[in-house]
Amino acid sequence: PATHSIAAPGTGFVTYIVHGESDGITENVPATFGAVFAKGDVPHGSSIAATDGEGHQLPLQVDVKAKHFDGSLRHAVLTVIVPRLPNGGEVSVSLSRAPKSETAPLPLTALPANFDTVLSLKMKDGRQLRASARDLLKSSKPDLWLAGSRVTEWWVSGPLRDASGKADPYLSARFGIRSYGAGKPLRVEVDVENTWAWVPKPRTEFYDATISANGRTVAQYPGLSQMTYTRWREVFWWDKPVTAYVEQNLA
């Protein structure tokens, strides 16, 4: 989105519209989106608040991603919680300058007790490769992309391994796990990477791919050919999906 100018603190300076699509949740609907700001609009030490079209304050988390040279906010990932968003309905969300506040990220215990996402590849040469989000969470420290009480997003990565545990020299997996809290929506992203820069004799890989989570097959792609220095991804919701989307109110 383009940058915007802010009026006085507490005055709305940019409006977004959150749309509810069919078959999604309708209560406490989270919407996560990026926003950029002009130099000085949100000074160092300040933050952002959100209100709906009737002036009611909405829960908002601000994850700062970039600042201008003067320390003011340049780019942030915003997460707003809409109390009620009927399928086919919409809610106007206005942003304004507000005092800064911070919260701690959610713990990994916010994930379901049975959480896992498994990527399985059946290679053209007959090998079976596998990567598990649960195993990577246990064996490595996840990186945080979003970190707060409204939403926390962890990222873990590692090579795909065969049945003996040997790492494949070419293919690796990345898992992005976005939780809005225990018992609340959970979004998972799976990236399949053939991107190592210094691997000897880089090559196209041929395989059938399956992604499984929460007792079901999320995606199945037979006969894939993945060129070197490429990735592909699959994004899904653990349980009932959040189908809301956000657009700027350009008017």
Side-chain angles (χ1 to χ4, degrees):
T3 56
H4 303 274
S5 295
I6 303 179
T11 302
F13 60 92
V14 59
T15 304
Y16 291 84
I17 301 173
V18 183
H19 298 268
E21 294 193 292
S22 60
D23 300 326
I25 66 171
T26 59
E27 304 289 336
N28 296 318
V29 181
T32 298
F33 57 100
V36 294
F37 303 91
K39 180 181 176 181
D41 277 353
V42 184
H44 176 71
S46 299
S47 189
I48 302 167
T51 54
D52 64 15
E54 298 178 355
H56 300 132
Q57 188 162 350
L58 299 173
L60 179 71
Q61 178 174 314
V62 181
D63 285 273
V64 175
K65 294 302 174 185
K67 294 183 179 181
H68 293 282
F69 289 120
D70 65 351
S72 62
L73 181 61
R74 179 182 178 188
H75 173 224
V77 177
L78 308 180
T79 298
V80 63
I81 309 297
V82 179
R84 179 164 175 77
L85 183 63
N87 291 328
E90 61 183 43
V91 171
S92 175
V93 177
S94 295
L95 305 181
S96 61
R97 191 186 302 166
K100 186 177 181 181
S101 62
E102 296 182 357
T103 60
L106 296 168
L108 284 169
T109 53
L111 297 176
N114 65 332
F115 174 77
D116 197 4
T117 297
V118 176
L119 169 67
S120 301
L121 303 184
K122 182 179 180 181
M123 307 303 294
K124 186 178 180 180
D125 60 12
R127 291 177 301 137
Q128 298 278 351
L129 301 181
R130 181 181 182 275
S132 160
R134 188 184 188 94
D135 291 347
L136 289 171
L137 285 170
K138 288 181 177 180
S139 62
S140 60
K141 182 180 179 180
D143 296 321
L144 285 174
W145 172 244
L146 307 176
S149 61
R150 309 289 183 193
V151 58
T152 296
E153 182 169 319
W154 303 273
W155 279 88
V156 287
S157 60
L160 283 115
R161 299 181 182 275
D162 63 18
S164 67
K166 181 180 178 181
D168 185 83
Y170 300 98
L171 296 172
S172 61
R174 300 174 70 241
F175 297 91
I177 306 155
R178 180 186 297 178
S179 171
Y180 290 94
K184 297 178 181 178
L186 173 61
R187 176 186 183 269
V188 182
E189 176 177 334
V190 181
D191 297 348
V192 184
E193 306 260 1
N194 186 10
T195 55
W196 294 121
W198 306 111
V199 65
K201 298 180 180 179
R203 66 190 189 188
T204 299
E205 294 285 354
F206 302 90
Y207 54 80
D208 301 330
T210 303
I211 299 173
S212 303
N214 199 16
R216 72 184 195 277
T217 298
V218 174
Q220 202 161 27
Y221 299 115
L224 287 181
S225 58
Q226 184 176 3
M227 294 183 293
T228 188
Y229 308 129
T230 65
R231 68 169 58 90
W232 62 270
R233 73 171 189 159
E234 186 77 22
V235 179
F236 63 92
W237 294 92
W238 178 261
D239 198 358
K240 193 169 183 180
V242 175
T243 57
Y245 70 94
V246 179
E247 66 174 351
Q248 279 193 344
N249 182 356
L250 297 180

